[in-house]
Amino acid sequence: MSEHSEHEEHPEDDGYTGAATLVIGERELDVRVTLRGHFQPIDGYYRWYGRIDADPAVSEAVGGRKTKATLRTPGAEADGELSDPDPWDRYRIMGTSRPPFVVQTTLDHADI
């Protein structure tokens, strides 16, 4: 079994791991996230997704339901949807189009 992360196995994926602000209605919660994303050439959309580390404040605000939210990182912000928590009380978040992290948009520094 490989010990590589999903991002290492799929180097074309973009991502962010670190501090973020989760906005649910009028509440702003400081959270830690692990996010990834990639462009889907078939439908032309950028899809991003990830997990929010377990946090009692998030669990209280969401209550185990699908919930619309905004996620802010130091580089960007985007609207997404939280889904049911996993067994470790980490909520999955996903969205389409502009992600809540910086994505390389030029080939200047890309490995070609």
Side-chain angles (χ1 to χ4, degrees):
M1 182 170 187
S2 173
E3 293 189 25
H4 294 279
S5 73
E6 176 182 348
H7 190 63
E8 290 169 336
E9 291 175 9
H10 302 283
E12 70 279 4
D13 287 355
D14 298 307
Y16 170 80
T17 299
T21 300
L22 181 66
V23 181
I24 302 170
E26 299 295 316
R27 291 184 75 176
E28 291 191 11
L29 305 169
D30 292 328
V31 296
R32 181 162 174 81
V33 297
T34 301
L35 305 170
R36 298 287 176 258
H38 60 274
F39 177 72
Q40 285 288 336
I42 292 174
D43 63 11
Y45 288 105
Y46 188 91
R47 303 205 188 272
W48 60 271
Y49 49 89
R51 293 262 180 216
I52 298 171
D53 285 2
D55 185 312
V58 173
S59 298
E60 177 187 325
V62 178
R65 299 176 311 272
K66 284 190 174 185
T67 303
K68 300 282 185 195
T70 300
L71 189 63
R72 293 185 195 133
T73 66
E77 83 173 44
D79 294 329
E81 183 177 72
L82 295 163
S83 63
D84 301 338
D86 67 13
W88 300 275
D89 207 31
R90 300 174 305 168
Y91 280 84
R92 182 169 171 85
I93 187 164
M94 63 190 87
T96 302
S97 262
R98 184 191 67 209
F101 50 84
V102 177
V103 175
Q104 181 175 320
T105 58
T106 66
L107 295 176
D108 293 346
H109 295 92
D111 293 329
I112 308 177

